[in-house]
Amino acid sequence: MIPVMRPWLGNEEAEAAAEAVASGWIAQGPRVREFEEAFAESIGAPYAVAVSSCTAALHLAMIATGIGPGDEVIVPSLSFIATANAVRYVGAQPVFSDVDLASQNLTPETVEPHLTARTRAVILVDQGGVPADLAAMRALCDPRHITVIEDAACAAGSSYRARPVGSGAELAAFSFHPRKLLTTGEGGMLTTRDGSIAARLRRLREHGMDVSAADRHRSQQPVIEHYIELGFNFRMTDIQAAVGLVQLRKLPQMVARRRAMAVRYQDRLADITGLITARDPEYGTTNYQSFWVLLPQDFPVSRDELLRRLADAGISARRGIMAAHLEPAYASWHHAPLPVTERLTERSIILPLFHDMTDAEQERVVSVLIEAHQRSEPTALIH
Ligand SMILES: Cc1ncc(COP(=O)(O)O)c(C=O)c1O
């Protein structure tokens, strides 16, 4: 079976993890600190704080921004459900906004109709790795004292106005889940330009303690820690960070490879009239974390039938990005009409793309789409 994604892991990561184990220190420690410093440098942000997942990062971003009950936070429904859930974790109200069709991202035009006196933040997602227009969103939000938090879960290695995604955000959250390019198994990172926010994030991820467990352990003298505020256990382990350090070095290669393969998909699928594919916006570059295609309205087979045909051909593809407002967990949630979101989630699919995918494998994927376009089975027309 051709998988939709396979992380690019090798001996180097295995050795780095083994070294962490052999060192005797496997919880959050020196390797996490080293990974944070290297990640911050790669993004061009002064501070990076490692956590256990991007979901945890978004949760802490809500707390660090002071968001709570009575506040509204504008989010795209078209995102992994964690984006909206983070708002609910702090008792605030996620408000779903529609997205732009080409980038699948929020824009000032889609967000503005949802602004109210209660709007405290916008979570701007770089969906599937495609950078959102942060400066445009900040031009809308900054004068209104609305914080823009970047959900860059998918976007390590993407660029925005010639700089790494996340570098211009007050707070940006990254994921290292294996569906992303850079993986640590599970894991996440927050980057910020504000040292006091970084210090608070470090405390919040570790039970609200004023001194980290690693620093206490290193001290020659007894250290009595204090618990300054309600915190969490959102720590990353040193084993994960050891893997992350290797993966970070490989990231530019991963991005280059994915971009080359994406161009190949775009070229090979160009004959399907009306098919829209993930691509770079004019102000940045995507890492193609997800290579999605939006089927034209007159495509002869349904999305689900196409997924079945791909599966029959030994290819594991995925439906497009989910829409949170269509899920039972949000069934009682009031929202404005979201026509672009619904079109994207119902009519798009994500094609396999992974670092060591062969040309022949890519060709197999392409041929299923081309065949479905050229001649459809009579049964498929029922859909
Ligand atoms: C846009 C977005 N936000 C948040 C997350 C959550 O990331 P994690 O699995 O690291 O918690 C994901 C994961 O897919 C995502 O795509």
Side-chain angles (χ1 to χ4, degrees):
M1 196 84 178
I2 300 176
V4 70
M5 175 61 167
R6 185 191 290 143
W8 190 40
L9 295 162
N11 284 341
E12 241 195 303
E13 285 86 349
E15 281 161 18
E19 274 170 33
V21 173
S23 79
W25 190 280
I26 53 173
Q28 179 186 290
R31 285 174 175 81
V32 168
R33 178 50 68 102
E34 203 187 324
F35 184 37
E36 289 175 339
E37 284 167 6
F39 194 82
E41 199 185 324
S42 78
I43 295 296
Y47 305 96
V49 179
V51 286
S52 49
S53 69
C54 184
T55 305
L58 290 169
H59 186 170
L60 293 190
M62 291 290 107
I63 297 172
T65 311
I67 290 165
D71 295 334
E72 293 177 359
V73 177
I74 299 175
V75 299
S77 168
L78 192 87
S79 184
F80 185 60
I81 200 157
T83 308
N85 285 352
V87 181
R88 289 174 70 183
Y89 294 156
V90 294
Q93 176 95 1
V95 175
F96 291 130
S97 163
D98 215 353
V99 291
D100 165 59
L101 185 96
S103 65
Q104 302 206 355
N105 287 329
L106 297 181
T107 65
E109 293 70 34
T110 69
V111 164
E112 193 163 16
H114 304 289
L115 296 177
T116 72
R118 294 177 159 198
T119 310
R120 291 287 314 280
V122 172
I123 304 186
L124 186 62
V125 180
D126 304 300
Q127 193 50 258
V130 176
D133 194 346
L134 179 67
M137 194 60 73
R138 290 195 68 163
L140 175 74
C141 293
D142 288 359
R144 296 171 170 81
H145 306 290
I146 295 168
T147 306
V148 180
I149 294 160
E150 194 163 1
D151 180 347
C154 307
S158 299
S159 74
Y160 175 67
R161 300 201 184 279
R163 294 175 61 199
V165 156
S167 60
E170 276 182 57
L171 274 166
F174 295 84
S175 171
F176 304 134
H177 180 272
R179 275 287 294 275
K180 314 300 185 279
L181 280 70
L182 188 175
T183 186
T184 59
E186 295 282 356
M189 191 75 84
L190 277 154
T191 57
T192 175
R193 312 201 68 78
D194 184 324
S196 62
I197 288 180
R200 181 150 186 236
L201 292 170
R202 286 185 207 292
R203 198 165 71 212
L204 284 168
R205 74 168 163 194
E206 200 167 12
H207 306 287
M209 271 192 277
D210 62 350
V211 49
S212 77
D215 287 347
R216 257 190 303 143
H217 187 82
R218 263 196 301 272
S219 170
Q220 306 292 317
Q221 295 295 321
V223 178
I224 310 294
E225 81 285 10
H226 294 286
Y227 299 82
I228 308 294
E229 61 178 324
L230 180 67
F232 304 84
N233 180 355
F234 285 162
R235 287 177 294 220
M236 176 182 274
T237 70
D238 255 27
I239 305 173
Q240 291 169 301
V243 172
L245 277 161
V246 178
Q247 287 268 292
L248 184 61
R249 287 196 289 276
K250 289 162 68 170
L251 183 61
Q253 237 181 305
M254 297 191 222
V255 175
R257 174 85 183 121
R258 290 183 83 80
R259 288 182 58 77
M261 285 191 291
V263 168
R264 193 154 188 278
Y265 264 143
Q266 283 156 352
D267 289 348
R268 297 287 292 111
L269 297 172
D271 289 343
I272 304 181
T273 319
L275 186 89
I276 296 173
T277 75
R279 54 184 64 247
D280 289 335
E282 43 99 15
Y283 50 76
T285 59
T286 169
N287 61 7
Y288 286 105
Q289 183 270 338
S290 285
F291 188 84
W292 56 264
V293 299
L294 175 62
L295 302 177
Q297 305 284 18
D298 60 355
F299 198 72
V301 302
S302 70
R303 185 225 25 208
D304 292 353
E305 171 62 20
L306 184 58
L307 286 173
R308 261 192 299 277
R309 291 189 190 186
L310 285 160
D312 288 347
I315 297 159
S316 175
R318 292 283 184 280
R319 68 162 177 177
I321 308 297
M322 65 170 293
H325 77 280
L326 299 177
E327 294 301 320
Y330 284 88
S332 61
W333 232 252
H334 170 78
H335 60 82
L338 300 165
V340 178
T341 298
E342 287 179 6
R343 182 171 162 206
L344 284 167
T345 198
E346 282 158 16
R347 295 289 291 170
S348 59
I349 63 172
I350 295 171
L351 299 180
L353 191 62
F354 47 92
H355 191 84
D356 46 15
M357 188 177 188
T358 63
D359 289 357
E361 285 173 325
Q362 219 184 348
E363 207 50 46
R364 260 171 68 195
V365 179
V366 167
S367 64
V368 174
L369 267 77
I370 303 248
E371 258 178 53
H373 174 59
Q374 282 167 351
R375 63 183 172 81
S376 56
E377 299 297 324
T379 53
L381 291 171
I382 295 165
H383 290 273

